Amino acid sequence: MMDPHDLQTCTEAIRHGSLSFHAASKLLPKKVRDPALALYAFCRLADDEVDLKAEKAEAVLRLRDRLDLVYAGTPRNAAPDRAFTAVVEQFDMPRALPDALLEGLAWDAEARTYRTLSGLKDYSARVASAVGAMMCVLMGVRDRDALARACDLGVAMQLTNIARDVGEDALEGRLYLPTDWLDEAGIAHHDFLMNPRPTKAVRAMTKRLIIEANRLYYRSEAGLGALPRASRPGIYAARYIYAGIGGQLNAMGYDSITVRARTSKRQKVGWLAQSMLMSGVSMVVPRSPVLFAKPLPEVQFLVDATAVGATTPRSDSMFDALAALEAKRKSERAALIGARVRAM
């Protein structure tokens, strides 16, 4: 049972840290909304731990330890950890799902770049679709087709985030645009990070991300009718609010370097109303055959880990990523000790 005070802390964290999800969550039924807020608060904490800390490898390894404590039923004395432990126990959350998120954060910590759009989808599957799969668990949805469409939505949302944050990420030394695209445009990676500019070529790359995101938003809609009726408005809202960011980018000429795409409160209210309407429509129209489309290859492992009867072992690639961070941490500590010895 989740402590009401822990839930309140998680709610406040989401209210200030994720306006889009906070708005969409208002349309979820309480039995899904409360654990979803706890889930998102823990995921937000994990993301911030890596993004905002200078020692990123250390931050990811601390998160691994916190996750171990959560699954042991002995969480650290912090509201998000306690609340997430209650969610894990109540819903029997597959460990492979938060492990996937942890692996994506490990990739961030090593400043990994992605050569192709497929590589970027591999990353998006871990940091976004894994959360979508966890949301399905909270709604009691373990059907493979519905899970595949939820993962489509997660990848679409992450591609939207990346398109919105091209300039901000570059200034932080992060590069998520597929490096093949930069190479084709004759843009040196280092030069772009040092001086990001909204050239025609860069804006075209941002547009390509949004086009792919929109394709996946449309695919994901086919799965919304497979969700419990009471949960559909909230998920529709997340779909429309995030897709709305892409619409703002379109209106800005896909310049996400000199200005940040923002949606207004009035727009969000409109999308919430549209979500209620579409939820009603989904109850009377036949299911789209797109529901049965194969999962994206990049998210197949999440569907396999979440579906009814799944017995997927923990990921070797996740262990490899964490082992690489362990080695990096040891190397950095040895270098620091060596520097201190030489200074004596």
Side-chain angles (χ1 to χ4, degrees):
M1 179 70 71
M2 195 186 311
D3 186 292
H5 296 293
D6 289 344
L7 176 60
Q8 183 60 35
T9 300
C10 292
T11 302
E12 288 302 313
I14 295 302
R15 189 195 312 276
H16 297 292
S18 182
L19 296 178
S20 294
F21 178 76
H22 185 261
S25 70
K26 293 180 179 180
L27 296 186
L28 290 170
K30 180 177 174 58
K31 67 179 182 179
V32 176
R33 182 178 64 249
D34 288 355
L37 288 168
L39 166 63
Y40 265 75
F42 188 84
C43 293
R44 184 75 196 185
L45 175 151
D47 191 51
D48 287 348
E49 276 288 301
V50 178
D51 272 355
L52 304 179
K53 297 293 176 65
E55 296 180 348
K56 298 184 184 300
E58 185 72 32
V60 172
L61 295 171
R62 282 199 302 270
L63 282 169
R64 175 204 57 192
D65 296 341
R66 292 174 77 165
L67 197 54
D68 285 343
L69 290 172
V70 164
Y71 273 83
T74 56
R76 206 184 75 160
N77 188 26
D81 299 59
R82 293 192 299 265
F84 187 51
T85 301
V87 169
V88 167
E89 293 174 349
Q90 180 181 350
F91 294 93
D92 192 23
M93 185 68 68
R95 176 70 189 260
L97 301 182
D99 273 354
L101 173 62
L102 190 65
E103 183 178 7
L105 296 176
W107 292 1
D108 277 337
E110 65 182 53
R112 183 177 295 200
T113 57
Y114 306 94
R115 185 173 62 82
T116 64
L117 180 60
S118 176
L120 190 59
K121 288 178 182 177
D122 280 331
Y123 169 73
S124 300
R126 285 157 175 79
V127 298
S129 294
V131 181
M134 285 191 272
M135 284 293 298
C136 284
V137 172
L138 302 187
M139 290 182 280
V141 174
R142 309 291 280 262
D143 172 76
R144 285 182 173 273
D145 295 318
L147 287 166
R149 302 290 75 80
C151 289
D152 285 344
L153 182 57
V155 173
M157 288 178 170
Q158 187 60 28
L159 293 180
T160 300
N161 283 340
I162 290 167
R164 179 194 61 195
D165 296 339
V166 170
E168 183 178 309
D169 284 333
L171 293 174
E172 294 292 331
R174 298 189 295 254
L175 178 62
Y176 292 105
L177 292 172
T179 57
D180 272 0
W181 294 4
L182 291 168
D183 294 341
E184 290 166 7
I187 300 173
H189 309 172
H190 179 267
D191 291 345
F192 178 74
L193 290 175
M194 293 298 293
N195 183 27
R197 293 185 295 115
T199 62
K200 182 179 179 180
V202 172
R203 286 186 283 112
M205 295 175 207
T206 304
K207 182 177 181 179
R208 287 175 72 177
L209 289 177
I210 293 301
I211 289 173
E212 181 61 16
N214 286 339
R215 184 181 76 85
L216 293 173
Y217 283 127
Y218 292 130
R219 267 174 54 116
S220 74
E221 280 196 10
L224 297 187
L227 302 179
R229 291 183 179 183
S231 295
R232 292 178 199 175
I235 307 305
Y236 266 111
R239 177 255 187 268
Y240 286 122
I241 289 171
Y242 273 86
I245 296 171
Q248 289 296 110
L249 283 168
N250 180 30
M252 294 157 42
Y254 297 99
D255 174 9
S256 58
I257 292 178
T258 62
V259 65
R260 181 181 173 86
R262 299 182 185 279
T263 55
S264 68
K265 184 176 181 180
R266 182 176 180 178
Q267 286 175 308
K268 287 186 175 71
V269 170
W271 289 319
L272 292 178
Q274 184 179 4
S275 301
M276 295 295 292
L277 174 63
M278 291 304 298
S279 180
V281 170
S282 72
M283 297 177 191
V284 296
V285 299
R287 288 187 176 181
S288 166
V290 177
L291 171 64
F292 307 107
K294 290 183 179 180
L296 294 173
E298 298 86 358
V299 307
Q300 182 70 61
F301 77 104
L302 294 171
V303 175
D304 292 341
T306 315
V308 172
T311 57
T312 306
R314 297 181 69 185
S315 165
D316 286 342
S317 64
M318 186 271 295
F319 286 120
D320 289 344
L322 294 178
L325 289 186
E326 287 274 18
K328 181 180 179 182
R329 180 174 64 173
K330 290 179 180 177
S331 175
E332 289 173 347
R333 287 181 174 174
L336 180 60
I337 292 172
R340 287 176 177 171
V341 169
R342 288 192 295 272
M344 292 175 63

